[in-house]
Amino acid sequence: MSTPLRSLTAAVLLLGSTTLVQAEEVRVAVAANFTAAMKEIATAFEAATGHTTRISFGSTGKLYTQIVNGAPFDVFLAADQRRPALLVDEGRASAPFTYAIGELALWSTDPELITDGAALLESGAFDRLAIANPKTAPYGAAAMEVLESLGLAETLAPKLVRGDNIAQTYQFVATGNAELGFVALAQIALDPSGSRWEVEQSHYSPIRQDAVLLEGAEANPAAQALLDYLQGDEARAVITRYGYATD
């Protein structure tokens, strides 16, 4: 083999091995409300960077507990600001930022059920109202804020069906186990079926969702690359399309 050809071959091999070394896996804990958006973002991120993602979805409270107990995640995408802040205070995370601002919706698969959401709740003309567990799921806490704002928390307590997270809450409504439920607007943003009430912000606190880099992931280039990607135009376009606001 001639010297120039040998040099070119070596350069190609070196480039290939460098790509392989740089392509890493990032393990991500993601709040359940962000499931659909994250799946789309992860696919685009992998195509753009060559990195791979391993994603676990769940309620923010349960994911936080897993992280505190040593679960091997690199990045945490929460559904609130409180748990990421706690992790930062505990020295378990760094670099927090708001990746999405969620909105709450009252939803039913019955296209005629919800015409005036507040009036329907006040009437109590339904058997079951699904919400996420307010102790572990920020969207469940927001749902309780709405009921308290309307003065209906005690009245409707016997009708509440609690999901472990917002994904299960959505399933309760989608399968007819509850006539209606409080879900993340993102879960139904691309689905025009049924009926809904996009709850006015005056009824609940803003659902600012923060992301953090977890302790031990500082040396993982895929982790930082994902956090950078989430703040870029491509990811923000997906986030907005799924019904979230961004800063």
Side-chain angles (χ1 to χ4, degrees):
M1 183 182 292
S2 67
T3 299
L5 183 57
R6 185 181 298 110
S7 299
L8 177 60
T9 301
V12 170
L13 291 173
L14 178 60
L15 178 62
S17 69
T18 301
T19 301
L20 288 173
V21 168
Q22 291 178 342
E24 301 283 352
E25 179 182 75
V26 54
R27 298 160 298 183
V28 196
V30 181
N33 75 88
F34 203 62
T35 298
M38 187 60 197
K39 286 180 178 179
E40 187 169 332
I41 288 170
T43 298
F45 167 74
E46 291 178 350
T49 65
H51 297 306
T52 58
T53 58
R54 190 196 305 175
I55 306 172
S56 297
F57 298 102
S59 70
T60 290
K62 288 190 174 182
L63 292 172
Y64 168 80
T65 299
Q66 290 174 21
I67 291 166
V68 169
N69 288 328
F73 294 119
D74 301 305
V75 170
F76 181 29
L77 273 58
D80 65 4
Q81 292 185 301
R82 186 170 71 86
R83 270 81 165 205
L86 286 173
L87 291 171
V88 171
D89 290 344
E90 295 162 359
R92 300 176 187 270
S94 60
F97 67 92
T98 299
Y99 67 93
I101 304 170
E103 296 185 29
L104 192 67
L106 182 68
W107 175 64
S108 173
T109 57
D110 182 344
E112 298 181 356
L113 182 59
I114 303 174
T115 55
D116 182 328
L120 176 59
L121 291 172
E122 289 169 0
S123 74
F126 50 87
D127 293 325
R128 293 177 181 171
L129 170 64
I131 69 167
N133 185 341
K135 293 183 178 180
T136 58
Y139 280 82
M144 289 306 301
E145 284 188 51
V146 175
L147 296 182
E148 290 163 2
S149 173
L150 296 172
L152 299 171
E154 291 186 14
T155 303
L156 294 180
K159 295 178 182 285
L160 297 182
V161 180
R162 290 179 174 82
D164 285 341
N165 53 55
I166 201 67
Q168 187 177 57
T169 305
Y170 171 89
Q171 286 299 321
F172 284 158
V173 182
T175 58
N177 287 310
E179 295 102 311
L180 69 166
F182 283 105
V183 301
L185 178 60
Q187 294 173 295
I188 58 174
L190 305 183
D191 180 5
S193 65
S195 54
R196 70 189 66 184
W197 172 39
E198 296 182 15
V199 184
E200 291 89 349
Q201 186 63 69
S202 60
H203 289 300
Y204 63 98
S205 304
I207 306 174
R208 297 184 66 86
Q209 305 191 189
D210 277 11
V212 287
L213 179 70
L214 295 172
E215 181 184 19
E218 298 86 355
N220 183 351
Q224 187 58 59
L226 177 61
L227 292 175
D228 292 341
Y229 189 85
L230 278 169
Q231 299 174 78
D233 291 341
E234 293 84 358
R236 287 166 68 90
V238 174
I239 292 168
T240 300
R241 184 157 51 81
Y242 276 92
Y244 297 95
T246 59
D247 286 330

